[in-house]
Amino acid sequence: MTYSGDASPGGAPAVRELDRLTISKLSVGPMDNNAYLLTCRSTGEQVLIDAANEAPRLLELVGGDGLTAVVTTHQHMDHWVALEEVVAKTGARALVHADDAAGLPIDAETVADGDTIPVGDCALEVIHLRGHTPGSIALLYRDPAGTPHLFTGDSLFPGGVGNTDKDPERFALLLGDVERKLFDRLPDDTWFYPGHGKDSTLGAERPALPQWRARGW
């Protein structure tokens, strides 16, 4: 089945089969949050990105193979409503950037820019993106057999960067980090998966960067 990237609230997950990794995208909660379950195809180990809401649906998605870790992309509540229950029922490690750790409802291990999070035989690179929150992160999977895959939380969406509450300094920080750490480093075919809504590629968004900067959001 061709991956569409569409995951509707209450609906079935959108599933993408890569050579070494399976990505399952599920929309949960009243704010249409995306939760992403990553499964290593050789070992079966699994990592969840954002236990955002609806713990029973997330646990059903995880299934009987267990969960190694839950990575929270940032401290905003709509991205961790189900975190405590999912961690309690799976024994998974909770991971978050140090600058957002105080905003979570449970103690979590901290990660920093450049750290690697294993998913079985695969790995995610932590990319710190300041501005939406102090400790927002993106997670990069460099597929040896294809294009890079990037999980951006609320820092990058189709059509613009994340909300910075119309604060010019925060906006400049976020856009600067997104340009330098994502657009300047990664190719146009990089597929990115945001914290809400549909996916896109860096190439589809790149021409609009000057417009984003000019409008200030």
Side-chain angles (χ1 to χ4, degrees):
M1 181 181 296
T2 301
Y3 174 78
S4 67
D6 293 331
S8 58
V15 179
R16 186 171 208 168
E17 296 280 2
L18 306 179
D19 186 57
R20 299 185 183 184
L21 190 73
T22 298
I23 301 169
S24 300
K25 175 182 180 178
L26 192 69
S27 172
V28 295
M31 296 182 68
D32 186 21
N33 283 77
N34 294 324
Y36 298 95
L37 181 69
L38 310 184
T39 306
C40 175
R41 299 187 68 180
S42 61
T43 69
E45 291 185 43
Q46 301 190 117
V47 168
L48 181 66
I49 299 174
D50 284 344
N53 213 314
E54 298 187 70
R57 291 183 67 215
L58 295 177
L59 292 167
E60 181 181 10
L61 182 66
V62 168
D65 292 331
L67 194 61
T68 302
V70 181
V71 187
T72 302
T73 58
H74 62 289
Q75 65 179 309
H76 288 161
M77 183 178 179
D78 60 307
H79 290 262
W80 55 252
V81 170
L83 177 63
E84 190 168 11
E85 184 174 348
V86 168
V87 167
K89 292 187 175 178
T90 63
R93 302 161 62 203
L95 304 175
V96 68
H97 190 277
D99 291 344
D100 273 14
L104 299 194
I106 60 174
D107 291 335
E109 300 175 44
T110 59
V111 296
D113 190 70
D115 284 353
T116 298
I117 298 170
V119 188
D121 291 340
C122 304
L124 303 173
E125 177 191 340
V126 176
I127 302 173
H128 183 202
L129 301 170
R130 303 161 298 168
H132 181 64
T133 66
S136 288
I137 57 173
L139 300 161
L140 173 64
Y141 171 60
R142 294 185 181 271
D143 185 358
T147 65
H149 296 262
L150 182 67
F151 303 87
T152 57
D154 283 2
S155 291
L156 177 64
F157 295 95
V161 295
N163 179 32
T164 54
D165 295 323
K166 298 183 179 180
D167 182 324
E169 292 185 6
R170 286 175 55 196
F171 172 76
L173 271 180
L174 180 54
L175 185 59
D177 277 0
V178 163
E179 287 184 315
R180 179 170 56 88
K181 295 184 175 184
L182 304 184
F183 284 94
D184 290 353
R185 288 181 56 207
L186 299 170
D188 280 351
D189 60 359
T190 301
W191 193 282
F192 74 86
Y193 307 79
H196 306 262
K198 294 184 177 181
D199 311 341
S200 186
T201 64
L202 294 186
E205 307 302 320
R206 190 183 300 275
L209 285 170
Q211 176 188 346
W212 299 356
R213 183 172 294 281
R215 76 188 183 192
W217 57 273

